[in-house]
Amino acid sequence: MDHRTPPGNIAPHIPAADWQRAQATGQPVVIVVHDTHLTGIPWRRALIPFAIAGAAIAGGWGLVACLCLLLDAVTHTATVIAGAAGPIGIGGITLKLARGKTT
């Protein structure tokens, strides 16, 4: 193969003077491509989904803990209000909301 013009997208890094000299003398042009692909598992690509899943799980547990804390505060508040209010009666039906302390 005797090419008169340097290859376009194959090796744009070959200087024109070197290409012309190789064509004039008939020497082959050797293109060295450094392969940077590593063998094994690409750890970044494998760890990112696990990091996202771990963050979602931690956020879910945080949400559950906050809801438990909120429900605990609501029940404590309702118990205090019911204990302070005493029995409630509507139309002759009396409902005692909280039991008194028996000692």
Side-chain angles (χ1 to χ4, degrees):
M1 267 182 140
D2 187 69
H3 295 287
R4 302 255 180 227
T5 59
N9 292 332
I10 296 174
H13 59 280
I14 299 174
D18 292 340
W19 178 261
Q20 296 299 332
R21 183 175 54 248
Q23 288 297 313
T25 61
Q27 292 178 336
V29 176
V30 178
I31 300 171
V32 178
V33 177
H34 296 285
D35 189 16
T36 58
H37 297 322
L38 301 175
T39 57
I41 299 172
W43 288 107
R44 172 177 269 175
R45 192 174 62 171
L47 287 178
I48 288 176
F50 285 110
I52 292 171
I57 289 171
W61 277 109
L63 182 63
V64 168
C66 287
L67 286 175
C68 289
L69 183 66
L70 182 63
L71 287 175
D72 182 47
V74 166
T75 54
H76 181 68
T77 304
T79 304
V80 168
I81 291 172
I88 297 176
I90 299 174
I93 299 173
T94 303
L95 178 64
K96 189 172 183 181
L97 297 176
R99 286 187 267 162
K101 291 185 180 180
T102 57
T103 53

